[in-house]
Amino acid sequence: MMRVAQISRPKGPFEIVERKVPEPVAGTVRIRVQACGICHSDSLTKEGAFPGLQYPRVPGHEVAGVIDAVAPGVAGWQPGQRVGVGWNGGFCGYCDPCRRGEFFACVRGQITGITYDGGYGEYLIAPASAVARMPADLPPADAAPLMCAGLTTFNALRNSGARPGDVVAVLGLGGLGHLGVQYAAKMGFHTVGIARGRDKEPIARKLGASVYIDSQTQDPAAELLKLGGAKVILATATSGEAMSAVQGGVAVNGTLLIVGAAESMQVSPLALLTGCRSVKGWYSGTSIDSQDTLAFSVRTGVRSMNETYPLERVSEAYERMMSGRARFRVVLTIG
Ligand SMILES: [Zn+2]
Ligand SMILES: [Zn+2]
């Protein structure tokens, strides 16, 4: 038997229940979970905001653990391997987007903790295509938040078109932003942190920002233009207003790269066309991107700052994440 924290109806409470340990079906592996991050997107499962979601459902897409069983016919994975699973819960490999190499856009794509049970429990079954190798010297609670928050910022930045030495600004200094600043600095960008309030300056600098802009007392667009404009602004905040306020700081041929799920924002077409500027979104990534994220993080010392809770205290841990006061990610430790 195993324990999992499930949600059995939209807006329902977490219920710790015992279930039979599931057997891996064709194409999947079973993972013994050691840690699972609590991401804001888990509220889609908790609150019933994802269309067609079937209950009961176990949330969690920042999974770190060990493969414990492998279905017959699955190649490349063995029991005992340390692995992680992120938001991308696997892809088919044969639909048109997959055949074009756009695995993230798979039309049969699954989402961990949404289309199947995720990591808030002792075991989960995941498609082999969703699994990333976890480096030997990375503790599970360190790896877990890198599987979504880390992956999202790392993969967006490495695909942003910015080159070492370019000005790269990170808007927001929360769960995503505190990782984005570290990755930007380690990738060799001239890293600028933008957040609300002078009190965030010391932590931004400690994480690697060489310039800090307080958006409450300074005009972030004007400050970025003093540096020649930002080749990339990685927008991790969830405020459309904050995104609109920085767009004037994007350099010629630069990009406002959005990973924060704001509902809407204002864009100036004139600013875009006069400077060949772009506004672009970035999907987090697939399992090989997660694997690269973990490996890069181990080599360069990038880590999420976490508050950890045991699985039994999942309700408290979730509320802490939703409060926005956690510094900076919340992680469940399991087993
Ligand atoms: Zn997430
Ligand atoms: Zn596909």
Side-chain angles (χ1 to χ4, degrees):
M1 300 298 282
M2 66 169 186
R3 289 171 315 143
V4 299
Q6 70 177 24
I7 300 292
S8 55
R9 60 177 191 278
K11 301 187 195 302
F14 285 103
E15 302 159 358
I16 306 246
V17 296
E18 287 222 328
R19 291 188 188 173
K20 213 164 156 268
V21 175
E23 290 303 319
V25 296
T28 68
V29 301
R30 184 171 68 208
I31 297 167
R32 182 169 54 78
V33 182
Q34 296 171 307
C36 186
I38 298 186
C39 179
H40 193 273
S41 305
D42 295 340
S43 63
L44 296 171
T45 303
K46 176 82 166 67
E47 306 303 326
F50 198 91
L53 200 152
Q54 310 248 305
Y55 290 90
R57 182 59 75 224
V58 178
H61 60 268
E62 290 188 334
V63 184
V66 178
I67 291 183
D68 158 82
V70 175
V74 169
W77 299 99
Q78 292 97 40
Q81 282 179 310
R82 306 183 73 229
V83 294
V85 181
W87 173 261
N88 187 289
F91 45 86
C92 75
Y94 61 88
C95 71
D96 283 0
C98 281
R99 290 168 63 207
R100 294 183 202 283
E102 307 282 15
F103 300 106
F104 80 91
C106 175
V107 300
R108 291 175 197 82
Q110 301 198 70
I111 306 174
T112 315
I114 292 202
T115 53
Y116 60 83
D117 286 333
Y120 291 18
E122 290 175 325
Y123 293 88
L124 90 159
I125 303 289
S129 61
V131 175
R133 275 196 293 276
M134 179 163 68
D137 40 359
L138 189 61
D142 284 7
L146 301 179
M147 293 302 300
C148 179
L151 162 66
T152 298
T153 49
F154 172 80
N155 205 32
L157 286 169
R158 72 171 176 168
N159 287 290
S160 69
R163 299 184 302 173
D166 284 347
V167 173
V168 170
V170 177
L171 172 65
L173 200 62
L176 289 173
H178 92 290
L179 284 160
V181 167
Q182 293 179 66
Y183 287 124
K186 295 295 185 188
M187 288 178 189
F189 303 136
H190 182 188
T191 304
V192 181
I194 308 172
R196 290 156 54 85
R198 270 292 148 203
D199 55 317
K200 306 238 174 64
E201 178 165 0
I203 182 75
R205 290 195 181 276
K206 190 176 148 223
L207 295 171
S210 44
V211 178
Y212 179 77
I213 300 171
D214 168 15
S215 61
Q216 280 179 324
T217 60
Q218 295 172 286
D219 173 357
E223 294 300 317
L224 288 172
L225 290 179
K226 286 182 196 167
L227 301 169
K231 179 69 180 175
V232 170
I233 302 176
L234 182 70
T236 72
T238 49
S239 154
E241 273 178 36
M243 293 181 191
S244 301
V246 297
Q247 64 178 312
V250 176
V252 166
N253 284 315
T255 306
L256 177 58
L257 189 55
I258 295 177
V259 294
E263 280 193 9
S264 66
M265 65 170 291
Q266 292 252 314
V267 177
S268 160
L270 198 64
L272 296 184
L273 64 92
T274 53
C276 291
R277 298 178 178 91
S278 310
V279 177
K280 184 179 164 70
W282 191 264
Y283 175 90
S284 62
T286 57
S287 54
I288 191 65
D289 300 309
S290 300
Q291 193 166 307
D292 292 347
T293 303
L294 297 180
F296 183 91
S297 304
V298 164
R299 282 198 297 272
T300 59
V302 173
R303 291 292 186 282
S304 169
M305 296 166 71
N306 302 328
E307 299 178 3
T308 59
Y309 291 78
L311 180 64
E312 294 69 32
R313 288 167 64 195
V314 59
S315 302
E316 189 186 342
Y318 177 82
E319 290 309 321
R320 178 71 178 159
M321 181 280 298
M322 289 300 283
S323 76
R325 289 195 299 272
R327 288 294 171 266
F328 284 90
R329 298 293 284 189
V330 178
V331 178
L332 294 172
T333 52
I334 297 161

